[in-house]
Amino acid sequence: MNILITGGNGYIGSHACLVLQQAGHGVVSLDNLSNSRADVAERVARISGRPLRLVEGDVRDRELLERVLRQEKIEAVFHFAGLKAVGESVSRPLRYYDCNVGGAVALCRAMAAAAVKVLVFSSSATVYGEPARMPVAEDCPLGEPTNPYGRSKLMIEQILADLSRADPSWRIARLRYFNPVGAHESGLIGEDPSGEPANLMPYVAQVAAGKRESLQVFGTDYPTADGTGVRDYIHVMDLVEGHLAALEYLRRHPGLLTVNLGTGRGLSVLEMAETFARVSGRPVPYRVTARRPGDVAACWADPALAQRLLGWRAQRSVEDMCRDTWRWVSGGVGGARE
Ligand code: NAD
Ligand code: UDP
């Protein structure tokens, strides 16, 4: 198939481009490079051995999208483009709703105009809010996300459900990611946060690399085994393989698919820091600080539905996640941006 990847130069999108190319699909990346670099497409091409076309542009530009969809004979779209910094979404809500919600609407309108009706969307476990039960299954009631970023994901999910109801010939997957981490094992692509990382794994990696003095552990008084927050970390390569499985499912089933992409295992902040130190052979000093506002104590997936419907489950271990992150960060490429 010919597939358009919006946000294809970003962290998850670049790994998706690679896996789709390796599965034999034709791939075009569309990215405005607001949070990524142009040379990512070249690095993906180096790994896959196939050229990757990058269209530099904004997902809100309907005319451009329609043109690309038609010219490239696109048959399916993976929609990763969007803004994802939770803290910034609180201070700049309009920017987030414009880019994320406005971007999704513009994309769907361009797809409808070009008669491309297969869409895989990056949603998030954040739509569950404070989960009502653990592990979190897809039929768990959706919560009230605690910030505009999370609300933008919930809004897009609802828009996609309305679209599917209005025109059942669409084939739409809403994939709820838990905590994507890690990098491709080549060390050539990975997560490239600008400035101070907001998420645990890139922060831990920078501490191990000596770029930051110590990790701040946000609270040790949660009702968890060691008192620190527990999350379901999933290797980015497992995650994008889940997208490939979702695409195969959509090819056989029209309608709306909603699945969690997680491992089903919860890991605490301290367990992650300890594993990273062991795998990298570098110390990860930490100090305990107050809880981060808006954080839930624990959140991990029930991945059974994805396994049943898609025949997919995460394969890689926490050690794999740390090892591949370390290779990316210590190998030069992933440590380059400040
Ligand atoms: P990322 O920032 O690395 O990638 C997003 C890409 O989209 C970037 O390359 C950026 O330049 C591009 N982009 C942003 N706005 C754009 C626009 N208007 N037009 C065109 N391109 C635009 O983020 P990521 O971690 O790869 O996340 C990809 C998607 O997955 C996002 O929608 C994010 O909300 C979602 N998601 C990510 C996580 C996570 O922890 N990384 C968790 C859940 C969901
Ligand atoms: N966390 C931390 N220090 C950091 C970043 C994160 O202790 O510098 C904790 C955070 O409180 C949470 C876990 O690590 O319990 C995962 O946080 P992250 O931001 O990576 O994911 P999210 O909270 O969005 O699931």
Side-chain angles (χ1 to χ4, degrees), residues 53-104:
R53 168 142 194 250
L54 166 66
V55 177
E56 202 177 322
D58 198 291
V59 80
R60 287 162 290 190
D61 184 344
R62 257 169 68 194
E63 276 174 28
L64 170 70
L65 281 168
E66 223 183 295
R67 200 163 58 242
V68 173
L69 290 170
R70 288 185 201 281
Q71 275 174 0
E72 302 288 336
K73 300 188 169 44
I74 297 295
E75 298 160 276
V77 177
F78 283 25
H79 180 42
F80 296 99
L83 300 173
K84 63 166 185 177
V86 169
E88 192 195 28
S89 81
V90 174
S91 55
R92 305 181 71 185
L94 294 180
R95 183 163 186 254
Y96 274 66
Y97 290 122
D98 185 25
C99 183
N100 293 3
V101 182

Side-chain angles (χ1 to χ4, degrees), residues 6-13 30-36 57-60 79-84 99 122-124 149 153 177-180 191 199:
T6 75
N9 275 40
Y11 170 43
I12 302 170
L30 181 134
D31 202 301
N32 68 2
L33 305 181
S34 59
N35 197 36
S36 56
D58 198 291
V59 80
R60 287 162 290 190
H79 180 42
F80 296 99
L83 300 173
K84 63 166 185 177
C99 183
S122 307
S123 189
S124 166
Y149 165 73
K153 291 285 167 192
Y177 306 167
F178 280 68
N179 289 60
E191 188 173 9
N199 298 109

Side-chain angles (χ1 to χ4, degrees), residues 179 197-201 203 215-218 222 229-231 233 269 292 295-296:
N179 289 60
N199 298 109
L200 179 66
M201 181 65 123
Y203 208 105
L215 171 71
Q216 290 183 63
V217 175
F218 297 144
Y222 284 106
V230 168
R231 295 291 184 275
Y233 299 94
V269 174
R292 184 171 65 177
D295 271 356
V296 298

Side-chain angles (χ1 to χ4, degrees), residues 187-259:
L188 285 173
I189 53 173
E191 188 173 9
D192 190 13
S194 55
E196 191 175 356
N199 298 109
L200 179 66
M201 181 65 123
Y203 208 105
V204 166
Q206 292 195 3
V207 172
K211 283 180 73 178
R212 305 201 180 264
E213 216 169 277
S214 64
L215 171 71
Q216 290 183 63
V217 175
F218 297 144
T220 49
D221 57 350
Y222 284 106
T224 60
D226 65 17
T228 66
V230 168
R231 295 291 184 275
D232 184 339
Y233 299 94
I234 174 168
H235 196 294
V236 65
M237 291 301 292
D238 279 328
L239 186 84
V240 295
E241 285 164 11
H243 289 61
L244 200 59
L247 178 67
E248 290 308 318
Y249 180 90
L250 291 181
R251 287 169 86 164
R252 296 190 307 272
H253 305 88
L256 183 66
L257 167 74
T258 306
V259 287

Side-chain angles (χ1 to χ4, degrees), residues 150-210:
R151 277 189 283 276
S152 76
K153 291 285 167 192
L154 188 54
M155 285 176 194
I156 298 166
E157 280 212 1
Q158 289 164 341
I159 290 167
L160 295 179
D162 287 338
L163 181 58
S164 171
R165 265 191 292 270
D167 178 355
S169 69
W170 278 81
R171 295 164 192 256
I172 300 176
R174 306 185 299 184
L175 304 182
R176 296 179 177 156
Y177 306 167
F178 280 68
N179 289 60
V181 297
H184 185 258
E185 61 177 20
S186 64
L188 285 173
I189 53 173
E191 188 173 9
D192 190 13
S194 55
E196 191 175 356
N199 298 109
L200 179 66
M201 181 65 123
Y203 208 105
V204 166
Q206 292 195 3
V207 172

